[in-house]
Amino acid sequence: MTSERPRFRLGFLTHVQGRDHDIARTYRNAQELFAVADELGFDVGWVAQHHVSLEGGGLSSPWAFLAHAAARTTRIRLGTAVTVLPLEDPVRLAEDIATVDALSGGRVEIGVGSGSSALEYAAFGKDAGRKRELTSENLDVLRRALAHDEVGAPGFRIQPRPGDFGRRVWQGVFSAQGAEYAARRGSNLLLNRAAYGFDAPTDEVQRPWADAFLAAWDQPHRPRIGLSRFVFPAKDRRTALRAIGDDVHRAALRMAESGAFPKGLGADEALRRFHAFYGHPDDIVAALGREKVLPVATDLITQFNPAVPDHDAAVRALELIATEVAPALGWKPARPDEPASVEPAPAPASASASASASAGVLR
């Protein structure tokens, strides 16, 4: 154990949306974000899976997308946040994951979750009422397949032979009970950019979930917590609002129709509900300094969704995150010839067992 402060990992997440319905251009732009992030030193690039089309796009086949991203990048890690696991054949999914991992030189992270769309479940002939059970069942099979154990039939093991995925599986959760379950299964924790159905600020809602995860962790290796947050830096607050404000407000009003948010939200309340950090980088750094889950996170995963900024604005925001926001929080980019780390840096030597588990903190 070292006494040095740990280096947290910086990621970005795209839901692969565009301003128009030219899906080819939307996909090209999203691939370009991976290339830009790779050059800027981001540690991980994540994509979300959506079978139901989003406005201006959405990605139903994340592993095909990530295979292409692997060819365009050299060091950034490639992950899903999340793959909707109950709608997948876990053996076939394991084959796709292992293939992309081989193509990328071992750079894959696999995040899974149960999803939320009843329409998606109906389209795949699955019972949405069993989504937790299906997630658990499929995760068991997926883990065995990625461990190169027999699955499906005696003597059958997937190919290509997978690398070591023992520390590269993540679960998205929406409760303290879900966080405890993920810890008991040895999965890393993924926390969403917003907590739906709560009036309290997202970080106040999610901090007990992170604490429950850390308290339940009993694996020999350090736990990891990936904290997704809406982060959009720009020249100033007004410039940021021009790029994201209307999109966020419309998204909040749509979510109010399903009961996730109260009806009749104004623009400011919509931004609060999405726990948005936006404006000048200095203002974002100050706001993130008050974020309650951040001190126990090992991975900060920035995203712009539900906003769909123009491509140039998105690229500029990534640049500001990597050059001004994250460094002010203590992040340092990996060297160009240094692969992005699978593990966060060791915790301080003085930490106790449970504190050491949570010591991949952002400084």
Side-chain angles (χ1 to χ4, degrees), residues 100-358:
V100 178
D101 199 48
L103 289 169
S104 67
R107 290 188 278 141
V108 161
E109 308 271 343
I110 168 65
V112 301
S114 59
S116 60
S117 171
L119 178 57
E120 290 182 339
Y121 274 78
F124 282 81
K126 303 292 184 179
D127 181 359
R130 296 185 62 237
K131 63 182 181 180
R132 290 184 181 178
E133 181 182 351
L134 291 171
T135 299
S136 296
E137 292 174 356
N138 283 2
L139 183 55
D140 285 341
V141 176
L142 178 65
R143 280 189 176 278
R144 292 203 306 272
L146 290 175
H148 213 227
D149 293 342
E150 292 183 357
V151 287
F156 179 81
R157 292 177 171 84
I158 69 164
Q159 62 91 18
R161 186 185 183 101
D164 182 1
F165 276 87
R167 305 184 185 188
R168 291 193 270 161
V169 177
W170 302 73
Q171 284 185 256
V173 307
F174 294 90
S175 68
Q177 293 78 10
E180 291 171 352
Y181 177 81
R184 290 195 297 269
R185 303 299 292 274
S187 298
N188 302 310
L189 184 67
L190 284 173
L191 294 175
N192 195 23
R193 55 149 193 249
Y196 307 125
F198 297 89
D199 288 328
T202 289
D203 58 338
E204 292 183 7
V205 173
Q206 291 180 338
R207 178 57 192 259
W209 303 355
D211 291 340
F213 172 78
L214 294 170
W217 186 263
D218 62 357
Q219 302 297 312
H221 58 278
R222 290 181 177 84
R224 289 160 61 186
I225 296 176
L227 184 65
S228 181
R229 288 295 181 252
F230 182 121
V231 179
F232 189 81
K235 181 177 65 174
D236 52 37
R237 189 179 181 87
R238 180 178 299 179
T239 302
L241 281 173
R242 281 201 301 268
I244 66 171
D246 290 344
D247 289 340
V248 173
H249 193 198
R250 283 194 294 267
L253 295 176
R254 287 196 302 271
M255 297 191 72
E257 295 174 2
S258 66
F261 291 157
K263 293 185 177 180
L265 293 178
D268 288 343
E269 179 63 7
L271 288 159
R272 186 188 78 83
R273 292 278 175 168
F274 277 110
H275 202 46
F277 298 85
Y278 61 96
H280 190 277
D282 290 346
D283 296 332
I284 292 175
V285 170
L288 285 171
R290 299 187 292 272
E291 153 65 59
K292 291 181 172 57
V293 190
L294 207 50
V296 294
T298 58
D299 292 61
L300 175 60
I301 305 170
T302 60
Q303 64 168 304
F304 311 140
N305 181 273
V308 187
D310 293 339
H311 181 62
D312 288 347
V315 169
R316 178 57 179 156
L318 283 184
E319 292 172 345
L320 289 172
I321 290 169
T323 60
E324 297 190 32
V325 175
L329 296 169
W331 176 77
K332 294 180 181 179
R335 298 189 306 271
D337 60 344
E338 179 185 3
S341 174
V342 176
E343 290 290 331
S350 60
S352 66
S354 93
S356 139
S358 62

